[in-house]
Amino acid sequence: MGAQDNDVFFHVEDVPSPHMCFIFALQQAILCIGSTLSIPFILGDQLCTDLFPAQEKANVIAQLLSISMFMCGIATLLQTTFGVRLGIIQGGSHVFIAPIVAMMSLEKWKCPTSLEIPSANGTNITTFMNQDQKDELWQSRLREIQGNLMLASLIQVILGCTGIMGLLLKYIGPLTIAPTISLIGLSLTAVAADFNRTHWGIAILTLVLIGFFTLIIGRVRVPCLGFSLKKKCYVFRYPVFQLMPVLLSVGICWLLSYILTVTDTLTNDPKSPAYKARTDSRLDVVSDIDWFSFPLPFSFGIPTVSAAGFVGMLGATLSSVIESVGDYFAAARISNASPPPPHAINRGIAAEGFSSIISGMVGAGHATTSYSGNIGAIGITKVASRRVFQVAGLILLIGGIIGKFGAVLTLIPDPIIGGTLTIVFGMVAAVGISVLQFIDFSSTRNLTILAISMILGLMIPQWLSQNTDAIDTGTLEERGILKWRESLYTKSGGAMKPVMYEYPYVTKYIKKINCCSYFPLSPTFNKELNCSCCSKENETHEPSKGQEYHLAVGNGGAQDLDHGDTKF
């Protein structure tokens, strides 16, 4: 395989044509639907909705579904526009499920055994909760989750705005990034397995189709009809299978699931795991959800906080922050972009924290975080365009407001989602492993650190640490940091620049204000470890002052996608 195999068709700053942009964005939206919308169903069990009649429980879940999708859209738009500005989808974080379960297991929040109201006067007359009392039953618990989530997310905003995360980047090299990114992908295997177990046949078929479209016939350019004022109607060839493998695979397997559903080949027993492979397993969501709904802050009342709840949420928040830093580097690498500078990392973390605060305000019941699966999908679809991810955010936002639209996307059977997640999570792990090319494998120290990091990361999920003593030992060359940094400036043929992390239009004015260089979220923030180490040990690689650094990857833009002069 040539170098072009690792390139992308649309780089971060490229803009596909409007109709193709929508199709690419829909692929990304579909990928995050399964993971994000599984959270409201899990959350519903913690809010005592199991005590409600089926219809009332469905109404609560439908309401949470709309809010979750709405928040995914808001968070994605904030991250891609004002945050790290890479192609990253923001979705509901499963890391927060554990502290929520622990919080709801406290004696104060344990669910009653029934909806009966104990009689105060000792009579034998049985009375039940009215609708207002039922609402208070689950909303009071949701308010507790909201308050602690908002408080913990405020810490995340502080970490980003103060520049603490950006300052840590000078201690981060390939020996730190590689296991972090790899473990993010490997730790998500349980999520994919939960979706796949509903029907392994459909899940494997989805996986095989994605691999077939991407690896076997990905280079086949399909004749398509086009129209322009200059050429009128004309024929051009387009790599449909390479750019839309997820959408094609989901469509084919969704049709197969529909056929198996109408013929009752798949079980119609709701208690069976295979029931979720049916296309009508969530039809009640479509019928129960409102046509239009707009989440408003504090619509469930004023949030409450507690010490135990805050500590649990804070632990999940810190874990999410570390994961996100790894995601940013993974997104940059798989997009053939330059590594994000400290100010972009700071903005990304602050944007995630701010989005999670909004999520708590509107009652989503979960924080938002970077989705590794959608990052891995870039390696399959070869589309890293920021605009595509912004459109995906709009799709999710509209799906949250127009409830019926979002509910239709939830009808995608679980094993189809699982099949797609299997390959994209594997892609994330593979990207992490590829970073190891910069280190010296003949060093016993490097191998030992890598071994310990991987085994402890697998044994203790969600455990990550930075051992400063270990990082301080060994030379920069041995640890791979020197060669890694040099590769950012010396390779030829690339055109991706760190300018991609700057704000359009306003950065040129910010550069005129000298004090902005001290603000951690400013594109001119320069309190970082530059390449001075490179100049000391190899002065030939020191770029001139003011020179924009280039990462030698790709060809700097969308490739010529046909054999003529038509470019997309």
Side-chain angles (χ1 to χ4, degrees), residues 37-363:
L37 298 188
S38 63
I39 296 180
F41 288 96
I42 299 172
L43 192 60
D45 295 337
Q46 303 300 317
L47 301 179
C48 306
T49 58
D50 282 341
L51 299 174
F52 299 171
Q55 185 65 33
E56 293 182 18
K57 178 180 179 179
N59 290 336
V60 174
I61 299 298
Q63 191 173 0
L64 295 176
L65 283 171
S66 291
I67 297 174
S68 292
M69 192 174 294
F70 174 84
M71 273 314 307
C72 290
I74 291 291
T76 299
L77 287 172
L78 287 175
Q79 185 66 275
T80 54
T81 306
F82 303 105
V84 74
R85 289 178 58 78
L86 287 170
I88 297 178
I89 291 288
Q90 301 286 287
S93 177
H94 287 78
V95 175
F96 289 79
I97 295 298
I100 289 175
V101 172
M103 192 191 316
M104 293 297 104
S105 65
L106 298 176
E107 190 64 33
K108 178 182 179 181
W109 301 114
K110 283 185 178 179
C111 296
T113 56
S114 69
L115 296 177
E116 295 182 12
I117 300 177
S119 177
N121 55 14
T123 62
N124 294 326
I125 300 176
T126 302
T127 57
F128 294 89
M129 296 181 184
N130 57 35
Q131 190 58 50
D132 289 340
Q133 291 169 326
K134 291 179 183 178
D135 289 341
E136 179 62 20
L137 180 66
W138 68 271
Q139 290 180 8
S140 62
R141 287 160 173 76
L142 184 58
R143 290 196 297 269
E144 179 76 3
I145 296 172
Q146 287 180 258
N148 292 306
L149 172 60
M150 292 171 62
L151 192 58
S153 299
L154 181 61
I155 303 299
Q156 185 172 357
V157 173
I158 294 173
L159 286 175
C161 291
T162 56
I164 294 177
M165 294 307 303
L167 290 176
L168 291 178
L169 291 183
K170 64 181 180 180
Y171 302 110
I172 295 177
L175 204 54
T176 309
I177 291 296
T180 302
I181 298 176
S182 298
L183 289 170
I184 289 173
L186 295 175
S187 66
L188 294 171
T189 54
V191 177
D194 285 341
F195 283 100
N196 291 339
R197 69 185 181 90
T198 58
H199 198 291
W200 281 98
I202 296 177
I204 292 176
L205 176 61
T206 306
L207 174 65
V208 169
L209 285 176
I210 293 177
F212 177 73
F213 291 144
T214 304
L215 304 176
I216 307 300
I217 61 175
R219 294 180 177 273
V220 175
R221 295 173 181 262
V222 180
C224 301
L225 288 176
F227 177 83
S228 67
L229 294 177
K230 181 179 180 180
K231 293 184 176 182
K232 303 302 180 182
C233 290
Y234 64 97
V235 177
F236 66 96
R237 293 182 174 275
Y238 200 74
V240 175
F241 301 113
Q242 179 68 72
L243 297 178
M244 295 181 284
V246 175
L247 203 59
L248 292 173
S249 302
V250 168
I252 293 172
C253 293
W254 200 350
L255 177 61
L256 174 62
S257 294
Y258 174 75
I259 295 173
L260 297 178
T261 298
V262 296
T263 58
D264 275 339
T265 303
L266 297 171
T267 179
N268 54 12
D269 180 11
K271 297 181 179 179
S272 172
Y275 180 74
K276 292 184 179 180
R278 295 177 62 96
T279 56
D280 59 358
S281 63
R282 287 190 282 264
L283 274 178
D284 55 337
V285 175
V286 179
S287 59
D288 293 335
I289 203 167
D290 295 332
W291 271 101
F292 296 96
S293 63
F294 193 89
L296 297 174
F298 311 121
S299 58
F300 302 120
I302 303 300
T304 59
V305 296
S306 64
F310 169 70
V311 171
M313 288 291 190
L314 181 60
T317 297
L318 296 178
S319 175
S320 177
V321 167
I322 296 174
E323 273 192 19
S324 293
V325 172
D327 284 336
Y328 300 158
F329 279 95
R333 181 166 180 79
I334 205 169
S335 301
N336 281 350
S338 55
H343 65 80
I345 297 290
N346 293 334
R347 293 201 312 268
I349 296 301
E352 285 193 20
F354 184 67
S355 298
S356 296
I357 291 177
I358 300 176
S359 183
M361 291 173 63
V362 298

Side-chain angles (χ1 to χ4, degrees), residues 1 70 79 103 188 201 246 275 286 294 320 408 447 463 469 492 512 527 538 540 543:
M1 293 191 300
F70 174 84
Q79 185 66 275
M103 192 191 316
L188 294 171
V246 175
Y275 180 74
V286 179
F294 193 89
S320 177
V408 169
L447 293 176
W463 181 91
D469 293 336
S492 60
K512 297 179 181 179
K527 309 308 174 188
N538 195 340
T540 60

Side-chain angles (χ1 to χ4, degrees), residues 288-471:
D288 293 335
I289 203 167
D290 295 332
W291 271 101
F292 296 96
S293 63
F294 193 89
L296 297 174
F298 311 121
S299 58
F300 302 120
I302 303 300
T304 59
V305 296
S306 64
F310 169 70
V311 171
M313 288 291 190
L314 181 60
T317 297
L318 296 178
S319 175
S320 177
V321 167
I322 296 174
E323 273 192 19
S324 293
V325 172
D327 284 336
Y328 300 158
F329 279 95
R333 181 166 180 79
I334 205 169
S335 301
N336 281 350
S338 55
H343 65 80
I345 297 290
N346 293 334
R347 293 201 312 268
I349 296 301
E352 285 193 20
F354 184 67
S355 298
S356 296
I357 291 177
I358 300 176
S359 183
M361 291 173 63
V362 298
H366 58 76
T368 56
T369 189
S370 301
Y371 262 21
S372 305
N374 290 85
I375 295 172
I378 296 175
I380 300 171
T381 64
K382 306 297 184 182
V383 178
S385 170
R386 180 192 300 121
R387 186 61 53 82
V388 167
F389 287 82
Q390 290 172 333
V391 173
L394 284 175
I395 292 175
L396 294 170
L397 177 63
I398 294 172
I401 296 175
I402 306 176
K404 299 292 185 184
F405 173 78
V408 169
L409 294 179
T410 69
L411 297 181
I412 301 175
D414 281 6
I416 297 178
I417 297 295
T420 58
L421 292 180
T422 299
I423 191 168
V424 296
F425 288 162
M427 182 66 72
V428 174
V431 168
I433 294 173
S434 70
V435 177
L436 293 174
Q437 64 182 297
F438 297 104
I439 75 169
D440 178 11
F441 276 107
S442 64
S443 168
T444 303
R445 171 192 173 278
N446 285 347
L447 293 176
T448 302
I449 292 177
L450 179 63
I452 293 175
S453 299
M454 295 297 291
I455 196 65
L456 289 181
L458 292 173
M459 291 173 59
I460 312 172
Q462 304 174 5
W463 181 91
L464 295 169
S465 70
Q466 290 188 352
N467 190 332
T468 56
D469 293 336
I471 294 176

